[in-house]
Amino acid sequence: MAELSVRSVLVTGANRGLGLGLVQHFLRMPKPPQWIFAGCRDPKGQRAQELQNLASKHPNIIIIPLEVANPASIKAAAAKVGEHLGGSGLNLLINNAGMVKSNTLDTETLEDMSEVYTTNTIGPLLMGQAFLPLLKKAAQGSPGSGLSCSRAAIINLSSQGGSISSLLTWEIAQAPSYRCSKAALNMLSKCQSLAYKEHGILCVALHPGWVQTDMGRSLGLPPPVTLDDSVSPAHVSHGASHIPFRFLLLPSSSTSSSP
Ligand code: NDP
């Protein structure tokens, strides 16, 4: 199986946590991407300082203002990325940005359900739509016909918390809005895989492990997985090998054409 080799990648929510870890991972690759687009909703804010410092040392990092709950921001980001890429396409879209609300089934609200669903599920849907032309271009411009991350792919950061058969940490956090948004993201990933397969675009949902980030720590117990371990390469199935994560491929995201 060939090593991952991408010319361009976009990571949403790249200013901290797993998003920033992924950007750092791409920089450490033997052959780093020519373009690492780092989506960030407040590029000048305090929480983007580390990303700004990294970008000042690595000219292949382009910080893109991107609020995934805002369709206008997504459209503007797609236009900006397209400008940088010139005539070439985007190989890898990583829908990483996400949020959690630590509600219980009793305290969950319409507002929180809507906000979390908008960010965690509708965001990746709109991102896929907006970046489809650039992903298609990458697939068309790559040699070979198989599906792979080196050619063109959408990676959705889901969670085992959204798995119906294997609920993670129910005793620690109910978080219905988060669980429902990730269960829906799993189905979205399946729909994307079925619809975009004919364009040569691989679509998968991945669980990163319970990781030491702000979100991971918000459960109140120390997460077992370090950031570096989570973003390290791993061999996974379904043609997604050499995705740069030690992530589990969620079953519902299979790229097979059966429903
Ligand atoms: P963090 O809370 O540490 O970071 C979340 C990132 O998403 C931040 O960069 C944040 O930006 C960004 N973000 C949130 N909302 C939006 C928005 N509307 N538009 C743009 N950016 C936004 O989370 P993690 O790094 O831990 O998680 C990353 C992904 O991995 C998430 O999708 C999460 O659900 C998933 N995951 C994480 C697990 C864990 O244990 N950590 C376990 C399972 C899944 P800002 O700084 O501006 O808030």
Side-chain angles (χ1 to χ4, degrees), residues 35-47:
W35 302 104
I36 302 174
F37 297 105
C40 171
R41 60 177 159 178
D42 183 16
K44 296 205 166 80
Q46 192 55 40
R47 286 203 292 218

Side-chain angles (χ1 to χ4, degrees), residues 16-22 24 96 100 157-161 168-169 178 206-232 244-248:
R16 61 188 171 98
L18 280 159
L20 184 61
L22 284 167
Q24 288 164 331
N96 162 79
V100 67
L157 265 283
S158 187
S159 169
Q160 203 179 331
L168 185 72
T169 63
Y178 182 75
L206 298 173
H207 168 65
W210 181 6
V211 190
Q212 293 162 10
T213 64
D214 292 340
M215 186 187 289
R217 281 186 281 261
S218 71
L219 295 189
L221 289 175
V225 183
T226 67
L227 192 51
D228 275 354
D229 272 352
S230 178
V231 300
S232 299
F245 320 105
R246 199 177 294 279
F247 292 173
L248 300 172

Side-chain angles (χ1 to χ4, degrees), residues 39-142:
C40 171
R41 60 177 159 178
D42 183 16
K44 296 205 166 80
Q46 192 55 40
R47 286 203 292 218
Q49 200 54 58
E50 208 175 332
L51 176 64
Q52 287 285 4
N53 293 344
L54 208 57
S56 67
K57 291 185 209 126
H58 299 275
N60 55 340
I61 297 180
I62 311 293
I63 298 178
I64 302 287
L66 177 55
E67 159 63 70
V68 302
N70 179 341
S73 171
I74 291 176
K75 271 194 192 136
K80 201 160 268 181
V81 169
E83 271 169 37
H84 278 283
L85 288 170
S88 64
L90 178 71
N91 297 111
L92 201 48
L93 165 60
I94 303 182
N95 284 316
N96 162 79
M99 64 177 297
V100 67
K101 297 268 185 187
S102 312
N103 297 336
T104 65
L105 205 49
D106 290 341
T107 62
E108 196 58 84
T109 63
L110 186 152
E111 290 76 19
D112 286 353
M113 282 294 282
S114 304
E115 189 185 348
V116 173
Y117 188 79
T118 302
T119 301
N120 293 0
T121 316
I122 302 177
L125 165 79
L126 299 181
M127 286 293 296
Q129 291 172 341
F131 284 87
L132 186 60
L134 289 173
L135 290 161
K136 276 186 190 173
K137 209 180 268 185
Q140 284 157 9
S142 299

